[in-house]
Amino acid sequence: MTESAFAGRMRHEKFFSCAADKRRDDLNYRASISVERIPGRFPYATWHSPEGPRDVVVWCSNDQLGMSQHPKVVGAMVQTVLHAGAGAGGARDTCGTNRMLLDLEAEIADLHRKQAAMLFTSGYIANAAGLSAVARLVPRCLVISDEHNHHSMIEGISKSGCKKRIWRHNDLEHLEQILREERGRPALIAFESIYAISGDVAPIRQICDLARRFGAITYLNEANAVGICGAGGAGMAEREGLASRIDIIEGTLAQAYGCLGGYIAGRAVLVDALRTHAPGYAFTNALPPPLCAASLAAIRHLKESSWECERLAQNAATLRAGLIKAGLPVRPGQEHIISLAVGDIAMARAMCNALLSDFSLHLRPAGHSAAARDTAYLRILPSSHHDKTMLTALVNALAEVWRRFEPSWSYQPDAAE
Ligand SMILES: Cc1ncc(COP(=O)(O)O)c(C=O)c1O
């Protein structure tokens, strides 16, 4: 390598190391630990600690119903690998669509009682590509977005190039005010049913009422609800009897269904338009048949089986009550995501490290945005597979860690509450 080429390379390396250092300085550097889940032993996992492998109990997995290890799901995946191979072999337009994927889309449409559904390679892509395409297809569209919407929705909205207004989290008066101010302009209201960080639930009925009054389109992200809430796992809108009033439902197959992939469900005409207009559909390989088969098995299983959701609801309620009794700052709610207010992100990380090394409990801090360093939570995801002893052990360990660290931030009601 010549001297000037070497100097150029060093300069480039500096860009990257400065970027990482900046994240370290503002305490947003991301480092994940090495954890392997153990088939058949969920929620245990092996943590590859600096001292060697150790069993830990996982409290931060999206796989809250244990579907990723369910024999029907694993069996469907293995069978399909054997007769269809590992990959899809191409993008849908260029290579054709495998039967499993079409069956999965039909199953998802049926789950949400919509005319059609369209798969993407993840929930993130479904929002980033799908939401942006929907907004772009509506002339002069104004996107009104809840301030706590997931990053994938924010990306979809900014990629759409449409005018955007952010409404204060779950604040119906503010939403109405924006709709009034923008009357006459086509609007799309984008929100989540259960918010990923806080576990807050959206006032879906009132949002649908406002949408009807002002003629707005509703786009509901059900990522944290599908598989868990509503009859057969059809989500929060279904549970509230409102699915037919939601124009577009977005979901993921990577959380309660334990697999991978994301989707948009809605009217056939919308899905047809998205097929030609959403870049995340055309210019990428299709979901592999084994993954489609596994997701199909998970959806079908949860349409029939209710014990997993019932156990999860019981465990979440028991844990929430135990944490409140122990005097910990639990964000109010009733769903299966439980958040404890810590405040300082560095302290939240240190608390998680202590829970892992001293109590063999694996959970991670979370915040609404990478920049929110003073509003960090410990986000707990109980599952249908945790038992009473594990629930008690978690409450005791958290109480001890709270005594040790004494975080000063407590739950702060949002303006809307
Ligand atoms: C609310 C919400 N939307 C979208 C996603 C992204 O889904 P996926 O993991 O399938 O990309 C997540 C995942 O954490 C989520 O919580």
Side-chain angles (χ1 to χ4, degrees):
M1 196 183 290
T2 64
E3 213 170 292
S4 71
F6 181 74
R9 182 157 154 194
M10 293 313 287
R11 219 175 25 249
H12 295 159
E13 300 233 330
K14 193 131 198 275
F15 296 148
F16 303 130
S17 69
C18 284
D21 287 348
K22 186 175 175 310
R23 283 297 198 201
R24 279 192 192 89
D25 289 349
D26 67 16
L27 304 174
N28 279 312
Y29 181 72
R30 293 200 180 108
S32 105
I33 59 168
S34 169
V35 173
E36 259 160 83
R37 302 194 308 138
I38 308 162
R41 290 194 62 213
F42 180 68
Y44 283 103
T46 304
W47 169 40
H48 295 283
S49 78
E51 290 78 38
R54 196 209 285 184
D55 264 10
V56 294
V57 178
V58 176
W59 287 101
C60 51
S61 173
N62 291 327
D63 189 16
Q64 283 181 279
L65 304 176
M67 280 298 112
S68 77
Q69 301 183 8
H70 193 285
K72 284 188 198 166
V73 177
V74 174
M77 186 177 251
V78 170
Q79 280 302 314
T80 313
V81 164
L82 294 178
H83 77 74
R92 295 175 69 170
D93 276 359
T94 51
C95 202
T97 300
N98 70 76
R99 186 77 245 159
M100 278 295 170
L101 194 149
L102 294 173
D103 288 351
L104 180 55
E105 286 183 334
E107 190 71 43
I108 291 167
D110 178 71
L111 175 73
H112 292 296
R113 289 194 249 147
K114 296 290 178 200
Q115 289 174 347
M118 183 172 143
L119 278 166
F120 293 83
T121 42
S122 72
Y124 193 101
I125 302 293
N127 281 321
L131 176 50
S132 76
V134 175
R136 258 185 289 117
L137 290 172
V138 179
R140 294 182 58 247
C141 186
L142 165 77
V143 184
I144 313 180
S145 175
D146 184 286
E147 73 174 314
H148 286 182
N149 272 343
H150 192 259
H151 192 275
S152 52
M153 299 171 79
I154 297 167
E155 182 169 337
I157 295 164
S158 42
K159 264 178 41 188
S160 75
C162 294
K163 181 174 176 187
K164 165 184 81 173
R165 298 222 22 208
I166 295 176
W167 105 78
R168 284 191 295 275
H169 177 54
N170 275 352
D171 184 338
L172 291 163
E173 276 178 25
H174 192 211
L175 175 60
E176 180 171 350
Q177 182 194 327
I178 294 173
L179 285 161
R180 268 182 206 290
E181 285 168 7
E182 304 280 352
R183 204 190 272 275
R185 184 171 190 144
L188 183 152
I189 304 174
F191 63 113
E192 298 181 26
S193 55
I194 302 181
Y195 284 86
I197 306 298
S198 58
D200 293 354
V201 175
I204 304 177
R205 182 176 301 281
Q206 291 90 328
I207 292 171
C208 288
D209 289 345
L210 284 172
R212 182 149 61 192
R213 256 178 63 205
F214 290 90
I217 300 171
T218 43
Y219 181 104
L220 178 61
N221 179 342
E222 289 261 34
N224 291 294
V226 284
I228 294 176
C229 304
M236 220 38 182
E238 197 285 337
R239 184 164 101 184
E240 303 294 311
L242 298 165
S244 64
R245 295 181 61 191
I246 301 291
D247 296 301
I248 302 157
I249 292 183
E250 187 275 344
T252 176
L253 301 167
Q255 302 204 159
Y257 294 124
C259 297
L260 189 74
Y263 62 84
I264 278 181
R267 284 192 293 282
V269 65
L270 166 92
V271 170
D272 194 35
L274 281 186
R275 229 175 259 129
T276 335
H277 288 273
Y281 169 85
F283 301 111
T284 187
N285 277 268
L287 273 182
L291 261 174
C292 295
S295 297
L296 201 53
I299 294 175
R300 286 182 178 158
H301 174 76
L302 290 175
K303 270 184 172 173
E304 301 298 325
S305 174
S306 57
W307 79 260
E308 290 93 346
C309 295
E310 284 161 13
R311 269 286 296 278
L312 171 59
Q314 273 165 17
N315 280 348
T318 307
L319 184 57
R320 195 178 279 281
L323 294 168
I324 291 170
K325 196 162 166 221
L328 298 173
V330 181
R331 190 167 168 106
Q334 290 176 343
E335 301 304 329
H336 49 275
I337 296 174
I338 302 173
S339 291
L340 298 179
V342 175
D344 179 52
I345 183 71
M347 184 181 283
R349 290 222 176 93
M351 291 168 91
C352 289
N353 291 342
L355 286 162
L356 187 65
S357 55
D358 301 352
F359 300 91
S360 298
L361 301 172
H362 179 33
L363 62 157
R364 303 307 301 155
H368 287 299
S369 77
R373 52 190 282 178
D374 299 324
T375 55
Y377 288 92
L378 293 198
R379 180 171 176 260
I380 308 170
L381 298 178
S383 81
S384 49
H385 288 57
H386 288 95
D387 63 26
K388 281 211 173 94
T389 315
M390 292 172 182
L391 297 174
T392 310
L394 178 64
V395 173
N396 291 340
L398 283 165
E400 166 58 28
V401 165
W402 238 262
R403 271 192 293 276
R404 233 189 257 175
F405 285 83
E406 300 183 330
S408 56
W409 195 57
S410 193
Y411 166 69
Q412 303 291 315
D414 291 313
E417 294 162 64

